[in-house]
Amino acid sequence: MITTTIFPGRYVQGPNAIQLLGEELARLGKKALLLEDPFAAKALKQDIEKGLGGKLQCHIEVFEGECCDEEIDRLSATQGIDVVAGIGGGKTLDTAKAVAHKLNVPVAIIPTLASTDAPCSALSVIYTKSGEFSRYLVLPQNPNLVLVDSAIIAKAPARFLVSGMGDALATWFEAQSCSVTHASNMTGRLGSATALGLARMCFETLLEYGPQAKVACEAQITSAALERVIEANTLLSGLGFESAGLAAAHAIHNGLTVLEATHAYWHGEKVAFGTLTSLVLTDKAPDVIDTVFGFCESVGLPTTLAEIGLDKVSDADLMKAAQAATATGETIHNEAGTVTPETVFNAMKAADAIGRDRKTWL
């Protein structure tokens, strides 16, 4: 068997790491397109300018809100660029990766949130202009640089960190499913034992340090626990999902995006509910289900449909989500056995019932 494991070229993390921005970007090119989300463009302007230190030329653009083909085309029209740097949240970063791919130049990723596992991956999730999932854009290589300033992440609302934990929570269970069924990872080949081990380490880190990390983030301070969870959300989860594979949790997330009421909720929040659904769908042991529900409750991740905007969802609309989650080519088919819209619908209803029941005795 041939296995394939892929990694970013360079990963830098720590308090005030943005001070190294110019030094690190200068390794990759002489003129950078800086794609900044609105928060970074406003709140981090001075930090970015100081970090760049005049070490290379920069053309700055502000991200317009959706990682879609229209935005990628707009930014790709920029002339004379030899490196793209994305600074911001997950969709900004995915857009930067897609633009760099289109321009055939290196890409640097500077997340201001630890809210998804997007930064390290050779993947962009493309949405429609209105926010519905469209497709995965699989890129030929991982980012050349991922630079994570934990002091910036600590100052963001804790909800973003918790959302990243929700995204990372899926990593081990999806990796495990792909390992059992010999399903391919994001490269189209089998995942490695290294990737599976990193996915498990990601899960164990979340369970051990997640609640402490949330407390530190709420206090807007860095701590050893926060550093570990930032690394789990960003590096371990990124390596785990990409090199070990995706399965039900992310497919259920994709299905949920067809329901407009979920659009106000973060990727990781919907993935967390997808993970809980997947545990029911794949008949995990009661103690595993109890552990994962308990973790979600301890950090504030959704455990019911109501907590992702679906308190009044009809069975007909929930079935639409189940049908989208089981579309041809979706990663849910990496699970063992035959998965149908009906089984996913039932698992979503069951996970919701468990979550609601637990709230009555917490």
Side-chain angles (χ1 to χ4, degrees):
M1 294 187 298
I2 296 175
T3 66
T4 300
T5 310
I6 54 179
F7 301 88
R10 192 174 179 92
Y11 183 86
V12 181
Q13 178 184 315
N16 305 312
I18 202 165
Q19 294 177 5
L20 302 173
L21 182 60
E23 175 186 330
E24 292 291 339
L25 285 181
R27 299 173 185 272
L28 303 175
K30 296 180 179 180
K31 184 175 181 182
L33 167 61
L34 262 61
L35 176 61
E36 302 174 358
D37 71 11
F39 166 79
K42 183 178 180 180
L44 300 178
K45 182 178 179 180
Q46 291 184 345
D47 290 331
I48 292 169
E49 289 177 353
K50 184 178 178 182
L52 288 168
K55 290 184 169 60
L56 73 168
Q57 291 181 286
C58 293
H59 172 84
I60 298 174
E61 291 280 352
V62 178
F63 179 58
E64 294 190 350
E66 194 56 76
C67 183
C68 59
D69 290 316
E70 292 86 350
E71 179 72 345
I72 293 164
D73 290 342
R74 178 183 77 85
L75 295 163
S76 299
T78 309
Q79 300 294 314
I81 298 301
D82 53 16
V83 57
V84 176
I87 307 177
K91 290 188 177 183
T92 304
L93 306 182
D94 274 5
T95 303
K97 287 188 280 187
V99 171
H101 171 58
K102 196 162 186 178
L103 295 176
N104 195 29
V105 298
V107 65
I109 297 299
I110 303 92
T112 55
L113 307 168
S115 60
T116 74
D117 54 18
C120 292
S121 70
L123 181 75
S124 289
V125 183
I126 310 298
Y127 294 84
T128 66
K129 198 171 183 179
S130 61
E132 292 184 7
F133 172 78
S134 174
R135 68 188 187 279
Y136 292 120
L137 174 63
V138 179
L139 303 166
Q141 66 178 40
N142 298 72
N144 303 80
L145 167 69
V146 178
L147 187 150
V148 187
D149 189 325
S150 53
I152 291 173
I153 288 169
K155 289 181 174 61
R159 179 183 174 188
F160 297 111
L161 181 77
V162 171
S163 176
M165 288 192 251
D167 198 18
L169 183 64
T171 306
W172 164 239
F173 297 104
E174 294 187 297
Q176 190 179 35
S177 291
C178 290
S179 177
V180 168
T181 62
H182 292 251
S184 60
N185 62 20
M186 302 309 291
T187 73
R189 299 177 185 150
L190 294 178
S192 65
T194 295
L196 189 65
L198 292 173
R200 185 173 185 88
M201 182 180 176
C202 179
F203 179 60
E204 292 170 346
T205 299
L206 294 177
L207 293 187
E208 187 170 0
Y209 295 102
Q212 291 180 40
K214 181 187 177 185
V215 170
C217 195
E218 288 172 334
Q220 297 192 330
I221 56 172
T222 58
S223 70
L226 182 61
E227 294 288 354
R228 286 177 179 267
V229 169
I230 291 171
E231 185 176 334
N233 286 6
T234 308
L235 182 61
L236 292 177
S237 183
L239 296 174
F241 99 78
E242 188 171 37
S243 291
L246 295 174
H250 277 81
I252 292 165
H253 160 275
N254 296 343
L256 289 167
T257 67
V258 306
L259 304 179
E260 188 174 352
T262 69
H263 291 183
Y265 296 85
W266 283 82
H267 172 85
E269 293 170 337
K270 288 174 280 192
V271 170
F273 188 78
T275 299
L276 297 175
T277 299
S278 77
L279 300 181
V280 176
L281 181 71
T282 57
D283 194 26
K284 292 293 188 290
D287 63 322
V288 174
I289 293 175
D290 182 65
T291 294
V292 180
F293 267 91
F295 171 76
C296 290
E297 290 156 354
S298 73
V299 297
L301 283 166
T303 60
T304 66
L305 288 168
E307 291 171 306
I308 52 171
L310 299 178
D311 51 324
K312 297 179 181 178
V313 67
S314 67
D315 284 354
D317 281 345
L318 199 61
M319 179 56 80
K320 289 178 184 176
Q323 289 168 338
T326 54
T328 301
E330 263 295 358
T331 56
I332 202 165
H333 301 296
N334 289 339
E335 300 288 355
T338 301
V339 180
T340 67
E342 290 74 21
T343 58
V344 173
F345 172 86
N346 289 335
M348 286 195 287
K349 295 277 279 191
D352 175 62
I354 294 169
R356 287 187 287 109
D357 180 66
R358 289 174 64 96
K359 290 183 185 300
T360 66
W361 47 267
L362 283 176

